[in-house]
Amino acid sequence: MNSYRVLNSRVARVDAVEKVVGKAVYTDDMVVSGMLYGAILHSPVAHARILSIDTSLAKALPGVKAVLTHADTGHVKFGVSPARYDETIFCEDKVRYVGDEVAAVAATDPGTAMKALDLIKVVYEPLPILLDGLRAMEPGAPKVHERFHRNICQEVHWHFGDVDAARAQADFVRTDSLSSKMQDGAFLEPQSALAQYDHNGYLTLYSSTQTTHYVHRTLAMVLDIPLHKVRVVKPYVGGGFGPKAACSSMELITALLAMKTGRPVKITFDREQVFLHSRARHQFFHKMTTGIRRDGTISFLEHHCIMDGGAYSSFGIASVYYAGSLLGGPYRLANMKYDGYRVFTNKPVSGAQRGHGAVIARALFEVQLDRLAEEIGMDPLELRLKNVMETGDTTCNELDMSSLGMRECLEAVRERTGWNSRRTKGSSHKADGHGMGVAAGFFVSGAGYPIYRSRTHHCTVEIKVAEVGGGVTVRSGAAEIGQGSDTMLAMITAEVLGIPMEDVKVLSGDSDLSVDLGAYSSRTTLMTGHATRQAAMDARKQILEVLAEKTGIPLDALDIRDGFVHVQGSQMDFASIRKEYLGEHRGFPTQPHGDLLTFAEASRLAFLERGSIIGKGSYRPPPLGGSFKGAAVGTSPAFGCSAQVAELNVDMETGQIHMERITGAHDCGFAINRTQVEAQMQGAMSMGLGEALMEEVKYDDQGRILNANLAEYKIPTAMDMPPLESIIVESHEPNGPFGAKEVGEGAIMPTIPAVLNALYDATGAMVTELPLTPERVLRAIKKARGETSRGDGDTREQV
Amino acid sequence: MKHDIQVTINGTSHQLAVPANRTLLELLRDDLRLTGTNKGCEAGDCGACTVLLDGDPVPSCLVLAVQADGCDVLTIEGLASGNRLHPIQQAFVDTGAVQCGYCTPGMILVSLALLRKNPHPDEAEIRGALSGNLCRCTGYQKIVQAVQAAAKEMP
Ligand code: FES
Ligand code: FES
């Protein structure tokens, strides 16, 4: 048992009450006086030269206050990585996907803004369209960007160890393929932004973003405003999962409209625009060859990947590295070769989504491990345990597993599901329609480096002790997007300062408050948690120092617990302190009493003696990673890991999958809040299950999305989701605050392969294309039935 | 052309003049500034805008304001009494059924409609009742548990 008072508990979230009473404010809930409504004209064609844009009729419409095109901008390019800045606010010479931004208006009401859009006349000259990511690199394929040869946004070629030597010594080798479909973030709150520009040249943008920091920098850069005059505020955000992690044209347009009109402007996406903007999970085409020794030791992995990135780079340069680097663990793998290509097509842009870049790669590798286990007659869970890395191991691509409870996670799901007695041994596919599958995975706990080259602190936190005494305010730039970071900040502060959580107020998500790179790469608990701990310790020390000076009690004999000052060994005479406090508070109905000095009295005294007390904290990871090209991507101060067992039934006649249960175990290092750790695990499972079973953005042959709505783009409902079990494993990460590390993304890693492996267990069918629609499953079942031998290598279907 | 309607919202009667094409969602959010009713799709697909219309859950984005004439509307703002949360709200807080919170008002209102009709639903009935309301954060596990907990608490 630990001795924490707040940490590791199941205390309610600090934002829960506001959210259940409907008082939580999201960006689109905001209305300010004089506000205009913006609207964006998107390209209706996938690839075309812009010959002319005529805005005169739109400008003449009563109620229209501004109409903007590229001619009204500073033509500054932006994107995610400075090495791949390839976007402009509006298209200049050509449009590259259906949805590309061409023009925008601001008007006194939304209806007028929409009418004005209809009056803008754009003449396009169609260009050949490239929609198939697999054809992007072929000679003669239409070119999406002039500057990118063969439509390659980024390619990666890695070779760790010696794959050829390992192949010669492997007893079993097999090659498999898996492809996926473009996924949509499908967060419930569409993006929204509200901009205000004042007479002193200060710009404030309220936005539904995960990363106020990068939006701040991009606004300043593209609109050419001094950085210190830009403020980005994130109200409550209705989910992000990655797609809200970069500055968008919409945010820039909103700000530019406010600057041009001198009035506040708001733009809120409709659901179709959420799909058009996308920046969600790529479509992946993976091919892997894995070798194994007769005793179950994994010998090597050879991995080829093409990712369809859509029209711009976005996060893709990182995604293609992640797809390779995050197979370095959690199994001992000395020899790994990776060739990855992230290519452009004339489709909406893919970016980062929960489990950035690594989810489908993980799925295929875990499927291969199961098939190889079958070939050598070993239980697949046993095979994983045999190869699993332990705390202190380093991967072939130099990722340091400073803590790794992978074995504990696998054992936990084995135990909880009764795996050993319930899963049929030996010949696995008994084809009775019921199956169990296991898989594992790991993920970073905060990217080792910022997106731009800098020595910047990744986050700073200030804890301001109320001058009046009694409470503190945490000031952080961290982005609460539903994952619970505000609660984490409050819990750590309360724990360290020894005060009740209700006396901690959290201000966050505002670039004026502090630096924080934002909610991505599962970084907040580890990084901002560190900074918060440091800031709270600093504030505590300052208060106790004053008390030690005033009472003569040594500093290390003083402690604050539950809002009272405790003294070790001796008695503290605080009569004069209390007398002064009572004197200041004549007439207040509630007064301190009893024989312990209160935190209110101690913190008030600290102010009287020293002025404002502000505890400061910051965090910056140590230099990480190897010296090879791209070594920085995938580095992290720590890695979380996860194992899951999926159980399902398949209707052998229709191919319909019915999920029975998913049991997961995740090593989060140390659970700051146990309920929220489970909540992250369960959310990850549902997103993984959606991608496995049903999610697919569909296109027509002109590059238009066919299902840009939540009726035809299916995400799991309460009826689709089976009961979810979540087991918390705590390996006590030395680089994490109180031992904590990530849970938000690592927990999605095993879901898809656990389902694929359960499907094989149930039916003997291998599906090589996601999602697992009944048609695909049925086709695979039929194929499996027709086959005389199994395990004969690549079972890839024709695309 | 505007239509005069009388609608009771969270116990208060309103006389309003609304255009024929104004949705109940727009009336609540834009005219009355009851922004606890969220807008996720404006097409009846997500449930974030759910309110109770004469006790039945409806997506307010698909209901015209004029259709609410003479009706009783309950939004999330009308559920707590003062600072005292409704047992369903309290259960959502206690079980951790809230993450980003965007689906939460709709989830709570469909749960209320369910428990009024069926005070002791089994898990399948709960999942069925929630199935028109999407949540991308929770995997529904803790929401189902919250409804089960609330069922025990409600009179
Ligand atoms: S906004 Fe009404 S159902 Fe989505
Ligand atoms: S809590 Fe975020 S959508 Fe349900």
Side-chain angles (χ1 to χ4, degrees), chain A residues 12-13 19-22 26 28-29 31 184-186 188-190 237-239 241 271 482 675 678-680 682-683 686-687 695 711 715-719 721 723-724, chain B residues 29 33 35-36 38-41 45-46 48 76-77 80 85 89 92-93 95-96 98-102 104-105 108 123 127-128 130-131 134 136-142:
Chain A
R13 293 171 63 110
K19 287 176 175 176
V20 298
V21 298
Y26 302 86
D28 187 56
D29 296 343
V31 170
D184 186 74
L188 270 267
E189 181 216 11
V237 169
F241 312 112
R271 185 51 66 176
T675 302
E678 292 167 356
Q680 284 299 306
Q682 293 162 4
S686 77
M687 193 170 280
E695 294 184 36
I715 67 170
T717 68
M719 296 223 303
M721 287 308 295
L724 306 172
Chain B
R29 282 182 63 81
R33 306 283 305 130
T35 55
N38 288 326
K39 184 169 75 181
C41 68
D45 300 328
C46 75
I76 193 67
E77 288 91 347
L85 298 182
Q89 291 172 314
F92 269 63
V93 171
T95 52
V98 180
Q99 291 190 36
C100 82
Y102 210 72
T104 306
I108 289 173
E123 182 173 335
R127 288 183 182 271
L130 298 178
S131 64
L134 298 175
R136 190 58 151 172
C137 300
T138 63
Y140 307 100
Q141 181 70 26
K142 290 185 187 294

Coordinates of all heavy atoms in Angstrom, one line a residue, chain A residues 12-13 19-22 26 28-29 31 184-186 188-190 237-239 241 271 482 675 678-680 682-683 686-687 695 711 715-719 721 723-724, chain B residues 29 33 35-36 38-41 45-46 48 76-77 80 85 89 92-93 95-96 98-102 104-105 108 123 127-128 130-131 134 136-142:
Chain A
A12 N -13.3 11.9 -8.2 CA -14.1 12.4 -9.4 C -13.3 13.5 -10.1 O -12.5 14.2 -9.5 CB -15.4 13.0 -9.0
R13 N -13.5 13.6 -11.4 CA -12.8 14.6 -12.2 C -13.2 16.0 -11.8 O -14.3 16.2 -11.4 CB -13.2 14.4 -13.7 CG -12.8 13.2 -14.4 CD -13.4 13.1 -15.7 NE -13.0 14.2 -16.6 CZ -12.3 14.1 -17.6 NH1 -11.9 12.9 -18.0 NH2 -11.9 15.1 -18.4
K19 N -19.7 19.4 -16.5 CA -20.1 18.7 -17.7 C -21.5 18.0 -17.5 O -22.2 17.9 -18.5 CB -19.0 17.7 -18.1 CG -17.8 18.4 -18.7 CD -16.7 17.5 -19.0 CE -15.5 18.2 -19.7 NZ -14.3 17.4 -20.0
V20 N -21.8 17.5 -16.4 CA -23.1 16.8 -16.2 C -24.3 17.8 -16.1 O -25.4 17.4 -16.3 CB -23.2 15.8 -15.1 CG1 -22.2 14.7 -15.3 CG2 -23.0 16.4 -13.7
V21 N -24.0 19.1 -15.7 CA -25.1 20.0 -15.6 C -25.2 20.9 -16.9 O -26.0 21.7 -17.0 CB -24.9 21.0 -14.4 CG1 -25.0 20.1 -13.1 CG2 -23.7 21.8 -14.4
G22 N -24.3 20.6 -17.9 CA -24.4 21.4 -19.1 C -23.8 22.7 -19.1 O -24.1 23.6 -20.0
Y26 N -17.8 24.9 -24.5 CA -17.0 24.5 -25.7 C -17.0 25.8 -26.6 O -17.8 26.7 -26.4 CB -17.6 23.3 -26.4 CG -17.8 22.1 -25.4 CD1 -18.9 22.0 -24.6 CD2 -16.8 21.2 -25.3 CE1 -19.0 20.9 -23.8 CE2 -16.9 20.1 -24.5 CZ -18.0 20.0 -23.7 OH -18.1 18.9 -22.8
D28 N -17.9 26.6 -29.6 CA -19.1 27.0 -30.3 C -20.1 27.6 -29.4 O -21.1 28.2 -29.9 CB -19.6 25.9 -31.2 CG -20.8 26.4 -32.1 OD1 -20.5 27.3 -32.9 OD2 -21.9 25.8 -32.0
D29 N -20.0 27.3 -28.1 CA -21.0 27.9 -27.2 C -20.8 29.4 -26.9 O -21.6 30.0 -26.4 CB -20.8 27.2 -25.8 CG -21.2 25.7 -25.8 OD1 -21.8 25.3 -26.8 OD2 -20.8 25.0 -24.9
V31 N -20.4 33.3 -27.6 CA -20.9 34.4 -28.4 C -20.4 35.7 -27.8 O -20.5 35.9 -26.6 CB -22.4 34.4 -28.4 CG1 -23.0 35.6 -29.1 CG2 -23.0 33.1 -29.1
D184 N -11.6 8.2 -39.6 CA -12.0 9.5 -39.2 C -11.9 9.6 -37.7 O -12.2 8.7 -37.0 CB -13.4 9.9 -39.7 CG -13.7 11.4 -39.4 OD1 -13.1 12.2 -40.2 OD2 -14.4 11.7 -38.5
G185 N -11.5 10.8 -37.2 CA -11.4 11.0 -35.8 C -12.7 10.8 -35.1 O -12.8 10.2 -34.0
A186 N -13.8 11.3 -35.7 CA -15.1 11.2 -35.2 C -15.3 11.6 -33.8 O -16.2 11.0 -33.1 CB -15.7 9.7 -35.5
L188 N -16.8 14.0 -31.0 CA -18.2 14.5 -31.1 C -18.3 16.0 -31.3 O -19.3 16.4 -31.9 CB -19.0 14.1 -29.8 CG -19.7 12.7 -29.9 CD1 -21.1 12.9 -30.3 CD2 -19.0 11.7 -30.8
E189 N -17.3 16.7 -30.9 CA -17.4 18.2 -31.1 C -16.7 18.6 -32.4 O -15.5 18.5 -32.5 CB -16.7 18.9 -29.9 CG -16.8 20.4 -30.0 CD -15.5 21.1 -29.5 OE1 -14.5 20.5 -29.2 OE2 -15.6 22.4 -29.4
P190 N -17.4 19.1 -33.4 CA -16.7 19.6 -34.6 C -15.8 20.8 -34.2 O -16.1 21.5 -33.3 CB -17.9 20.1 -35.5 CG -19.1 19.3 -35.0 CD -18.9 19.2 -33.5
V237 N -12.9 20.9 -24.8 CA -12.8 20.3 -26.1 C -13.5 19.0 -26.1 O -13.3 18.2 -25.2 CB -11.3 20.1 -26.5 CG1 -11.2 19.3 -27.8 CG2 -10.7 21.5 -26.8
G238 N -14.4 18.8 -27.1 CA -15.2 17.6 -27.1 C -14.5 16.5 -27.9 O -15.0 15.9 -28.8
G239 N -13.3 16.1 -27.4 CA -12.5 15.0 -28.0 C -11.6 15.5 -29.1 O -11.9 16.5 -29.8
F241 N -8.2 13.3 -30.1 CA -7.6 12.0 -30.6 C -6.5 12.1 -31.6 O -6.2 11.2 -32.3 CB -8.7 11.0 -31.1 CG -9.9 10.9 -30.2 CD1 -11.1 11.5 -30.5 CD2 -9.8 10.4 -28.9 CE1 -12.2 11.4 -29.7 CE2 -10.9 10.3 -28.1 CZ -12.1 10.8 -28.4
R271 N -20.4 18.7 -39.8 CA -19.8 17.4 -39.7 C -19.1 17.0 -41.0 O -18.1 16.4 -41.0 CB -20.9 16.4 -39.4 CG -20.5 15.0 -39.2 CD -19.3 14.8 -38.2 NE -19.6 15.1 -36.8 CZ -18.7 15.0 -35.8 NH1 -17.5 14.5 -36.1 NH2 -19.0 15.4 -34.6
G482 N -10.6 16.1 -22.6 CA -11.4 15.0 -22.2 C -10.7 13.8 -21.5 O -11.2 13.0 -20.9
T675 N -9.7 5.5 -12.0 CA -10.9 5.5 -12.8 C -10.5 6.0 -14.2 O -11.0 5.5 -15.2 CB -12.0 6.4 -12.2 OG1 -12.3 5.8 -10.9 CG2 -13.2 6.4 -13.0
E678 N -8.6 3.5 -16.4 CA -9.5 2.6 -17.0 C -10.3 3.2 -18.1 O -10.5 2.6 -19.2 CB -10.5 2.1 -15.9 CG -9.9 1.2 -14.9 CD -10.9 1.0 -13.7 OE1 -12.0 1.6 -13.7 OE2 -10.5 0.2 -12.8
A679 N -10.7 4.5 -17.9 CA -11.5 5.2 -18.9 C -10.7 5.3 -20.2 O -11.2 5.2 -21.3 CB -11.9 6.6 -18.4
Q680 N -9.4 5.6 -20.1 CA -8.6 5.7 -21.3 C -8.5 4.4 -22.0 O -8.5 4.3 -23.2 CB -7.2 6.3 -20.9 CG -7.2 7.8 -20.7 CD -7.6 8.6 -21.9 OE1 -7.1 8.4 -23.0 NE2 -8.6 9.4 -21.7
Q682 N -10.6 1.9 -21.9 CA -11.8 1.5 -22.6 C -12.1 2.4 -23.8 O -12.6 1.8 -24.8 CB -13.0 1.7 -21.5 CG -12.8 0.7 -20.4 CD -13.6 1.0 -19.2 OE1 -14.3 2.0 -19.1 NE2 -13.4 0.2 -18.1
G683 N -11.8 3.6 -23.8 CA -11.9 4.5 -25.0 C -11.0 4.0 -26.1 O -11.4 4.0 -27.3
S686 N -12.5 1.0 -27.8 CA -13.6 1.2 -28.6 C -13.1 1.8 -30.0 O -13.7 1.5 -31.0 CB -14.7 2.1 -28.0 OG -14.3 3.4 -27.9
M687 N -12.1 2.7 -29.9 CA -11.6 3.2 -31.2 C -11.0 2.1 -32.0 O -11.1 2.1 -33.2 CB -10.7 4.4 -30.9 CG -10.4 5.2 -32.1 SD -9.5 6.7 -31.8 CE -10.8 7.8 -31.3
E695 N -15.0 1.0 -39.4 CA -14.8 2.4 -39.9 C -14.0 2.4 -41.2 O -13.0 1.8 -41.3 CB -14.0 3.1 -38.8 CG -14.8 3.3 -37.5 CD -14.2 4.1 -36.4 OE1 -13.5 5.1 -36.8 OE2 -14.4 3.8 -35.3
A711 N -23.9 8.8 -39.9 CA -24.9 7.7 -40.2 C -24.2 6.6 -41.0 O -24.2 5.5 -40.7 CB -26.1 8.2 -40.9
I715 N -19.3 4.4 -36.3 CA -18.4 4.2 -35.2 C -19.2 3.4 -34.2 O -20.4 3.3 -34.2 CB -17.9 5.5 -34.5 CG1 -19.0 6.3 -33.9 CG2 -17.2 6.4 -35.5 CD1 -18.5 7.5 -33.0
P716 N -18.5 2.7 -33.3 CA -19.2 1.8 -32.4 C -20.3 2.5 -31.5 O -20.0 3.6 -31.0 CB -18.1 1.2 -31.5 CG -16.9 1.3 -32.3 CD -17.1 2.6 -33.1
T717 N -21.5 1.9 -31.4 CA -22.5 2.4 -30.5 C -22.4 1.5 -29.2 O -21.7 0.5 -29.1 CB -23.9 2.2 -31.1 OG1 -24.2 0.8 -31.2 CG2 -24.0 2.8 -32.5
A718 N -23.3 1.8 -28.3 CA -23.3 1.1 -27.0 C -23.7 -0.4 -27.3 O -23.3 -1.3 -26.5 CB -24.3 1.7 -26.0
M719 N -24.4 -0.6 -28.4 CA -24.8 -2.0 -28.7 C -23.7 -2.8 -29.4 O -23.6 -4.0 -29.3 CB -26.0 -2.0 -29.5 CG -27.2 -1.4 -28.8 SD -28.7 -2.3 -28.9 CE -29.1 -2.3 -30.7
M721 N -20.5 -2.3 -28.7 CA -19.4 -2.5 -27.7 C -19.7 -3.7 -26.8 O -20.8 -3.7 -26.2 CB -19.1 -1.3 -26.9 CG -18.4 -0.2 -27.7 SD -16.9 -0.7 -28.6 CE -15.8 -1.1 -27.2
P723 N -18.8 -5.9 -23.2 CA -18.2 -5.5 -21.9 C -16.7 -5.4 -22.0 O -16.1 -6.2 -22.7 CB -18.6 -6.7 -21.0 CG -19.8 -7.3 -21.7 CD -19.6 -7.1 -23.1
L724 N -16.1 -4.4 -21.3 CA -14.7 -4.2 -21.4 C -14.1 -4.3 -20.0 O -14.7 -3.8 -19.0 CB -14.4 -2.8 -21.9 CG -15.0 -2.4 -23.2 CD1 -14.8 -0.9 -23.5 CD2 -14.5 -3.2 -24.3
Chain B
R29 N -30.0 26.7 -28.3 CA -28.6 27.2 -28.2 C -28.5 28.7 -28.5 O -27.8 29.4 -27.8 CB -27.7 26.4 -29.2 CG -27.4 25.0 -28.7 CD -26.5 24.3 -29.8 NE -25.2 25.0 -29.9 CZ -24.2 24.9 -29.1 NH1 -24.2 24.1 -28.1 NH2 -23.1 25.6 -29.3
R33 N -29.7 30.5 -25.4 CA -28.4 30.3 -24.9 C -28.3 29.2 -23.9 O -27.5 29.2 -22.9 CB -27.8 31.6 -24.2 CG -27.9 32.8 -25.1 CD -26.8 32.9 -26.2 NE -25.4 32.8 -25.6 CZ -24.5 31.9 -26.1 NH1 -24.8 31.0 -27.1 NH2 -23.4 31.8 -25.5
T35 N -26.7 26.3 -23.8 CA -25.7 25.6 -24.6 C -25.2 24.2 -24.1 O -24.3 23.6 -24.6 CB -24.4 26.5 -24.8 OG1 -24.0 26.9 -23.5 CG2 -24.8 27.8 -25.6
G36 N -25.9 23.8 -23.1 CA -25.6 22.4 -22.6 C -26.1 21.4 -23.6 O -25.6 20.3 -23.6
N38 N -25.8 20.0 -27.0 CA -24.6 20.1 -27.9 C -25.0 19.8 -29.3 O -26.0 19.1 -29.6 CB -23.5 19.2 -27.4 CG -22.8 19.8 -26.2 OD1 -22.7 21.0 -26.0 ND2 -22.4 18.9 -25.3
K39 N -24.2 20.3 -30.2 CA -24.4 20.1 -31.7 C -23.3 19.3 -32.3 O -22.1 19.8 -32.3 CB -24.4 21.5 -32.3 CG -24.8 21.5 -33.8 CD -25.1 23.0 -34.2 CE -23.8 23.8 -34.4 NZ -24.0 25.1 -34.8
G40 N -23.6 18.1 -32.7 CA -22.5 17.3 -33.2 C -22.6 16.9 -34.7 O -21.6 16.6 -35.3
C41 N -23.8 17.0 -35.2 CA -24.0 16.6 -36.6 C -25.1 17.3 -37.3 O -25.1 17.4 -38.5 CB -24.2 15.1 -36.7 SG -25.8 14.6 -36.0
D45 N -27.8 12.0 -36.2 CA -26.9 10.8 -36.2 C -26.2 10.6 -34.9 O -25.7 9.5 -34.6 CB -25.9 10.9 -37.3 CG -26.6 10.9 -38.7 OD1 -27.7 10.4 -38.8 OD2 -26.0 11.6 -39.6
C46 N -26.0 11.7 -34.1 CA -25.0 11.5 -33.0 C -25.7 11.6 -31.6 O -25.1 11.1 -30.6 CB -23.9 12.6 -33.1 SG -24.5 14.3 -32.6
A48 N -25.9 14.1 -29.6 CA -25.4 15.1 -28.7 C -26.4 16.2 -28.3 O -26.3 16.8 -27.3 CB -24.1 15.7 -29.3
I76 N -30.6 19.6 -20.3 CA -29.7 19.2 -19.3 C -29.7 20.3 -18.2 O -29.5 19.9 -17.0 CB -28.3 18.9 -19.8 CG1 -27.4 18.2 -18.8 CG2 -27.6 20.2 -20.3 CD1 -27.8 16.8 -18.4
E77 N -29.9 21.5 -18.5 CA -29.8 22.6 -17.5 C -31.0 22.5 -16.5 O -31.0 23.1 -15.5 CB -29.9 24.0 -18.2 CG -28.6 24.3 -19.0 CD -28.6 23.9 -20.4 OE1 -29.5 23.1 -20.8 OE2 -27.7 24.4 -21.2
A80 N -30.8 19.3 -12.5 CA -30.3 19.5 -11.1 C -31.3 20.4 -10.4 O -31.8 21.3 -11.0 CB -28.9 20.0 -11.1
L85 N -27.3 17.6 -7.5 CA -27.4 16.9 -8.8 C -28.5 15.9 -8.8 O -28.8 15.3 -7.7 CB -26.0 16.2 -9.1 CG -24.8 17.0 -9.2 CD1 -23.6 16.2 -9.5 CD2 -25.0 18.1 -10.3
Q89 N -27.0 12.3 -12.8 CA -25.9 13.1 -13.0 C -24.8 12.7 -12.0 O -23.6 12.6 -12.3 CB -26.2 14.6 -12.7 CG -27.1 15.2 -13.8 CD -27.6 16.6 -13.5 OE1 -28.1 16.8 -12.4 NE2 -27.6 17.5 -14.4
F92 N -23.1 9.6 -13.0 CA -22.1 9.8 -14.1 C -20.8 10.4 -13.5 O -19.7 10.0 -14.0 CB -22.7 10.8 -15.2 CG -23.4 10.1 -16.3 CD1 -24.5 9.4 -16.1 CD2 -22.9 10.2 -17.6 CE1 -25.2 8.7 -17.1 CE2 -23.6 9.6 -18.7 CZ -24.7 8.8 -18.4
V93 N -20.9 11.3 -12.5 CA -19.7 11.8 -11.9 C -19.0 10.7 -11.2 O -17.7 10.6 -11.3 CB -20.1 13.0 -10.9 CG1 -18.9 13.4 -10.1 CG2 -20.7 14.2 -11.7
T95 N -19.0 7.4 -11.3 CA -18.5 6.2 -12.0 C -17.4 6.6 -13.0 O -16.8 5.7 -13.6 CB -19.6 5.4 -12.7 OG1 -20.3 6.3 -13.6 CG2 -20.5 4.7 -11.8
G96 N -17.2 7.8 -13.3 CA -16.3 8.2 -14.3 C -16.8 8.0 -15.7 O -16.1 7.7 -16.6
V98 N -17.9 10.3 -17.5 CA -17.7 11.6 -18.3 C -16.2 11.7 -18.7 O -15.3 11.7 -17.8 CB -18.0 12.8 -17.4 CG1 -17.8 14.1 -18.1 CG2 -19.4 12.7 -16.8
Q99 N -16.0 11.9 -19.9 CA -14.6 12.3 -20.3 C -14.7 13.7 -21.0 O -14.7 14.7 -20.3 CB -14.0 11.2 -21.2 CG -13.7 9.9 -20.4 CD -12.9 9.0 -21.2 OE1 -12.0 9.3 -22.0 NE2 -13.2 7.7 -21.1
C100 N -14.7 13.8 -22.3 CA -14.8 15.1 -22.9 C -16.1 15.8 -22.6 O -16.2 17.0 -22.6 CB -14.6 15.0 -24.4 SG -16.0 14.6 -25.4
G101 N -17.1 15.0 -22.3 CA -18.4 15.6 -21.8 C -19.3 16.0 -22.9 O -20.4 16.5 -22.7
Y102 N -18.9 15.9 -24.2 CA -19.8 16.4 -25.3 C -21.0 15.6 -25.5 O -22.1 16.1 -25.8 CB -19.0 16.4 -26.6 CG -19.4 17.5 -27.5 CD1 -19.2 18.9 -27.2 CD2 -20.1 17.3 -28.6 CE1 -19.6 19.9 -28.0 CE2 -20.5 18.3 -29.5 CZ -20.3 19.6 -29.2 OH -20.7 20.6 -30.0
T104 N -22.3 13.9 -23.0 CA -22.8 13.6 -21.6 C -24.3 14.1 -21.4 O -25.1 13.4 -20.9 CB -21.9 14.2 -20.6 OG1 -20.6 13.7 -20.8 CG2 -22.4 13.9 -19.2
P105 N -24.6 15.4 -21.8 CA -26.0 15.8 -21.6 C -27.0 14.9 -22.3 O -28.0 14.5 -21.7 CB -26.0 17.2 -22.2 CG -24.6 17.7 -22.0 CD -23.8 16.5 -22.3
I108 N -27.2 11.5 -20.5 CA -28.0 11.6 -19.2 C -29.5 11.7 -19.5 O -30.3 11.0 -18.8 CB -27.5 12.8 -18.4 CG1 -26.1 12.5 -17.9 CG2 -28.4 13.1 -17.2 CD1 -25.4 13.7 -17.2
E123 N -28.7 -5.0 -18.7 CA -27.6 -4.3 -19.4 C -28.0 -4.2 -20.9 O -27.7 -3.1 -21.5 CB -26.3 -5.1 -19.3 CG -25.1 -4.4 -20.0 CD -23.8 -5.0 -19.8 OE1 -23.6 -5.7 -18.7 OE2 -22.9 -4.8 -20.7
R127 N -28.0 -0.7 -23.0 CA -27.3 -0.5 -24.2 C -28.2 -0.1 -25.4 O -27.8 0.7 -26.2 CB -26.4 -1.7 -24.6 CG -25.2 -1.9 -23.6 CD -24.3 -3.0 -24.0 NE -23.2 -3.2 -23.0 CZ -22.0 -2.6 -23.1 NH1 -21.8 -1.8 -24.1 NH2 -21.1 -2.7 -22.2
G128 N -29.3 -0.8 -25.4 CA -30.3 -0.4 -26.5 C -30.8 1.0 -26.4 O -30.8 1.7 -27.4
L130 N -29.2 3.5 -25.1 CA -28.1 4.5 -25.4 C -27.7 4.4 -26.8 O -26.8 5.2 -27.2 CB -26.9 4.1 -24.5 CG -27.1 4.2 -23.0 CD1 -25.7 3.8 -22.3 CD2 -27.5 5.6 -22.5
S131 N -28.2 3.5 -27.6 CA -27.6 3.2 -28.9 C -27.7 4.3 -29.9 O -27.0 4.3 -30.9 CB -28.1 1.9 -29.5 OG -29.4 2.0 -29.7
L134 N -24.0 8.6 -29.7 CA -22.6 8.2 -29.9 C -21.7 8.8 -28.8 O -21.9 9.9 -28.3 CB -22.1 8.7 -31.2 CG -22.8 8.1 -32.4 CD1 -22.3 8.7 -33.7 CD2 -22.7 6.5 -32.4
R136 N -17.4 8.9 -28.3 CA -16.1 8.5 -28.9 C -15.1 8.3 -27.8 O -14.0 7.7 -28.1 CB -15.6 9.5 -29.9 CG -14.5 9.1 -30.8 CD -14.7 7.9 -31.6 NE -13.9 7.9 -32.8 CZ -13.9 6.8 -33.6 NH1 -14.5 5.7 -33.3 NH2 -13.2 6.9 -34.8
C137 N -15.4 8.6 -26.6 CA -14.3 8.6 -25.5 C -14.3 7.4 -24.6 O -13.3 7.0 -24.2 CB -14.5 9.9 -24.6 SG -14.3 11.4 -25.5
T138 N -15.5 6.9 -24.3 CA -15.6 6.0 -23.1 C -15.7 4.5 -23.4 O -15.5 3.7 -22.6 CB -16.9 6.3 -22.3 OG1 -18.0 6.1 -23.1 CG2 -16.9 7.8 -21.8
G139 N -16.0 4.2 -24.7 CA -16.3 2.8 -25.0 C -17.6 2.3 -24.3 O -17.9 1.1 -24.3
Y140 N -18.4 3.3 -23.7 CA -19.7 3.1 -23.1 C -19.7 2.3 -21.8 O -20.7 2.2 -21.1 CB -20.7 2.4 -24.1 CG -20.8 3.1 -25.4 CD1 -20.1 2.7 -26.5 CD2 -21.6 4.3 -25.5 CE1 -20.2 3.4 -27.7 CE2 -21.6 5.0 -26.7 CZ -20.9 4.5 -27.8 OH -21.0 5.1 -29.0
Q141 N -18.6 1.7 -21.5 CA -18.5 0.8 -20.3 C -19.0 1.5 -19.0 O -19.9 1.1 -18.3 CB -17.1 0.2 -20.1 CG -17.0 -0.7 -18.9 CD -17.7 -2.0 -19.2 OE1 -17.9 -2.5 -20.3 NE2 -18.1 -2.7 -18.1
K142 N -18.4 2.7 -18.8 CA -18.7 3.4 -17.5 C -20.0 4.1 -17.6 O -20.6 4.4 -16.6 CB -17.5 4.3 -17.2 CG -16.3 3.6 -16.7 CD -15.1 4.5 -16.3 CE -13.9 3.7 -16.0 NZ -14.0 2.8 -14.8

